């Protein structure tokens, strides 16, 4: 039985991805709507051939307005918002009727889904509100990195079992679509509309970080940090992004000071310890080298960051941490311990660990 859900997809020039997106969910929902904003490839034809209702829209440099237009076409009582470069990972194992029941009788409640952002062999994980009742009280706000609001306020949210894979952050996807330039332009316009708004400053900084423009990234992330506080849900992500920027710039004093605050505030945020361990490796001093195992052992102790609380990279508390411990013990000539950690990393699916084990054999 198909559930009473409208899947809403915003698309432009997604011929290569939209088929997989639709096929990952179309057997489980009653409606799929694609709002195409001017594709020059076969996006519309492919989507229609997969059973989606395709509507032609106009790109107006405002994702929030487009998403509001898109959900206005939905006819089912619940909406699941997807991007065309995403796919549902576990649709066959999801009880969609149960997920719907979580929202019934609570009109101000929306569901968060887990998004696995794929970039080569690295995966970052976050949770975003994407599943909500089809009601005029729900509307998106913001030109880009738009947020779903209920009567103008952040809705109460619950975690669903829906998991998505997202390929839009891969280097190839970014190059093909020129996403970085587009996102920067929209974010700067949004900042002009709302000066010093910490969420926008954060997203600008993170966009520069993804594009490896570290000077620009540090400027905006520092501004975001200065205008935010620990009552904001994205505050730990600001700290993580700024720490990652300092790491890439080799600004050790600032990094260590920031991590001291971050770890004190969020002692269970694995990625902060992982950045700390990575910094100790990059410092290349005897004193820093001695501290490396403590940092990565703490990562293993915690495991990967809880996506209900933090944005994190998969492996920071598992295969990547064990791999770095293997490197440390290999360099320390403790080959038995090195092999131990490489084996665990390998068993967790990290291919580079197999390469190190082969060298030690």
């Amino acid at each position: 039985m198909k559930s009473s859900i409208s899947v809403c997809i915003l698309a432009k020039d997604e011929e290569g991805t939209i088929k997989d997106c639709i096929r990952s969910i179309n057997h489980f929902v009653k409606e799929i709507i694609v709002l195409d904003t001017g594709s020059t490839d076969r996006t519309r034809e492919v989507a229609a051939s997969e059973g989606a209702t395709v509507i032609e829209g106009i790109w107006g440099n405002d994702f929030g307005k487009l998403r509001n237009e898109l959900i206005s076409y939905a006819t089912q009582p619940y909406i699941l918002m997807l991007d065309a470069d995403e796919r549902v990972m576990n649709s066959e194992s999801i009880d969609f009727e149960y997920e719907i029941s979580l929202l019934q009788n609570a009109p101000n409640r929306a569901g968060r889904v887990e998004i696995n952002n794929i970039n080569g062999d690295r995966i970052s994980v976050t949770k975003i509100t994407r599943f909500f009742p089809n009601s005029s009280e729900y509307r998106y706000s913001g030109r880009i990195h738009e947020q779903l609001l209920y009567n103008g306020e952040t809705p109460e949210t619950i975690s669903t079992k829906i998991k998505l894979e997202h390929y839009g952050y891969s280097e190839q996807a970014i190059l093909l679509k020129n996403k970085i330039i587009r996102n920067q332009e929209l974010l700067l316009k949004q900042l002009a509309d709302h000066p010093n708004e910490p969420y926008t400053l954060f997203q600008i900084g993170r966009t520069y970080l993804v594009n490896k423009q570290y000077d620009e990234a540090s400027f905006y992330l520092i501004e975001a940090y200065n205008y935010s506080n620990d009552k904001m849900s994205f505050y730990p992500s600001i700290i993580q992004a700024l720490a990652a920027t300092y790491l890439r710039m080799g600004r050790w004093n600032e990094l260590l000071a920031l991590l001291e605050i971050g770890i004190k505030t969020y002692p269970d945020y694995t990625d902060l310890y992982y950045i700390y361990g990575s910094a100790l490796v990059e410092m290349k001093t005897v004193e820093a080298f001695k501290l490396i195992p403590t940092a990565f052992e703490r990562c293993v102790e915690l495991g990967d960051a809880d996506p209900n609380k933090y944005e994190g990279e998969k492996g920071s508390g598992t295969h990547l941490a064990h791999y770095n411990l293997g490197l440390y013990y290999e360099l320390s000539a403790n080959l038995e311990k090195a092999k131990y950690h490489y084996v665990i990393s390998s068993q967790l699916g990290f291919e580079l660990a197999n390469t190190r084990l082969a060298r030690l054999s």
Side-chain angles (χ1 to χ4, degrees):
M1 180 183 74
K2 292 189 175 184
S3 294
S4 299
I5 297 171
S6 294
V7 171
C8 294
I9 304 170
L10 194 62
K12 181 179 180 181
D13 293 333
E14 298 284 0
E15 176 185 355
T17 62
I18 199 163
K19 179 187 291 186
D20 287 339
C21 176
I22 293 173
R23 287 186 175 183
S24 72
I25 191 65
N26 61 350
H27 295 301
F28 305 95
V29 299
K30 289 185 177 179
E31 181 175 63
I32 295 180
I33 300 171
V34 173
L35 179 62
D36 184 90
T37 61
S39 291
T40 57
D41 62 5
R42 298 184 63 255
T43 296
R44 293 189 294 274
E45 292 84 349
V46 171
S49 71
E50 294 298 324
T53 298
V54 179
I55 299 167
E56 294 190 28
I58 299 174
W59 170 243
N61 292 314
D62 192 319
F63 279 102
K65 287 182 179 179
L66 281 170
R67 291 198 190 278
N68 289 333
E69 178 185 352
L70 172 57
I71 62 179
S72 73
Y73 299 118
T75 65
Q76 297 302 307
Y78 296 92
I79 291 172
L80 174 62
M81 184 69 70
L82 298 182
D83 288 341
D85 53 8
E86 296 173 340
R87 64 191 65 167
V88 182
M89 299 168 58
N90 59 338
S91 52
E92 293 184 359
S93 65
I94 299 172
D95 183 348
F96 285 100
E97 293 303 310
Y98 173 76
E99 302 297 345
I100 286 173
S101 74
L102 298 176
L103 305 185
Q104 288 176 331
N105 304 317
N108 64 327
R109 181 185 294 170
R112 287 175 286 118
V113 307
E114 180 180 301
I115 300 183
N116 292 258
N117 297 299
I118 314 295
N119 188 359
D121 61 351
R122 309 302 281 264
I123 303 173
S124 62
V125 184
T126 188
K127 287 208 170 184
I128 298 179
T129 305
R130 293 285 196 86
F131 184 52
F132 52 97
N134 185 357
S135 165
S136 61
E137 294 169 307
Y138 281 95
R139 285 293 178 265
Y140 282 92
S141 176
R143 290 177 182 268
I144 186 170
H145 296 293
E146 56 283 0
Q147 300 179 73
L148 181 69
L149 302 178
Y150 175 79
N151 284 333
E153 303 291 336
T154 302
E156 174 190 340
T157 61
I158 57 168
S159 183
T160 73
K161 294 183 179 179
I162 301 169
K163 295 182 179 182
L164 310 180
E165 287 180 328
H166 174 228
Y167 293 87
Y169 288 157
S170 68
E171 290 189 12
Q172 182 181 13
I174 289 171
L175 288 172
L176 285 173
K177 296 185 182 180
N178 214 7
K179 280 187 173 181
I180 294 291
I181 294 175
R182 179 203 66 189
N183 289 358
Q184 287 172 342
E185 290 176 350
L186 291 176
L187 284 164
L188 289 170
K189 287 180 181 178
Q190 186 161 294
L191 185 64
D193 294 337
H194 304 282
N196 302 328
E197 202 284 310
Y199 185 73
T200 303
L201 289 165
F202 163 54
Q203 293 294 354
I204 294 172
R206 187 155 67 172
T207 300
Y208 280 119
L209 174 59
V210 170
N211 204 37
K212 302 178 182 178
Q213 294 173 268
Y214 302 128
D215 287 335
E216 295 86 349
S218 64
F219 173 81
Y220 284 102
L221 290 171
I222 290 169
E223 289 287 285
Y225 181 72
N226 289 336
Y227 282 106
S228 60
N229 58 66
D230 60 6
K231 302 296 188 293
M232 298 175 177
S233 62
F234 54 91
Y235 187 65
S237 296
I238 294 176
I239 293 175
Q240 189 271 347
L242 182 55
T245 303
Y246 284 155
L247 172 65
R248 287 159 177 80
M249 299 177 78
R251 291 166 63 170
W252 307 128
N253 291 336
E254 292 153 300
L255 172 58
L256 294 177
L258 178 65
L259 288 176
E260 183 177 2
I261 295 170
I263 288 172
K264 183 178 180 180
T265 309
Y266 305 106
D268 59 342
Y269 194 175
T270 309
D271 292 64
L272 299 184
Y273 295 95
Y274 189 83
I275 291 173
Y276 176 52
S278 301
L280 294 172
V281 172
E282 294 297 327
M283 287 178 188
K284 296 182 173 63
T285 67
V286 174
E287 293 76 14
F289 185 77
K290 293 176 182 177
L291 298 173
I292 289 172
T294 302
F296 290 120
E297 283 165 4
R298 178 60 173 155
C299 293
V300 171
E301 179 184 345
L302 288 171
D304 284 350
D306 180 356
N308 290 303
K309 298 174 67 175
Y310 306 117
E311 293 185 82
E313 182 173 358
K314 274 192 175 180
S316 294
T318 52
H319 63 270
L320 294 175
H322 278 290
Y323 180 76
N324 278 282
L325 284 167
L327 288 174
Y328 170 80
Y329 286 114
E330 183 179 350
L331 290 171
S332 301
N334 190 335
L335 299 188
E336 288 305 310
K337 275 197 170 184
K339 288 179 181 179
Y340 169 79
H341 288 288
Y342 285 146
V343 166
I344 295 177
S345 182
S346 172
Q347 290 172 342
L348 293 169
F350 194 51
E351 188 60 36
L352 282 178
N354 291 329
T355 303
R356 304 305 303 185
L357 281 170
R359 293 183 179 183
L360 296 180
S361 299

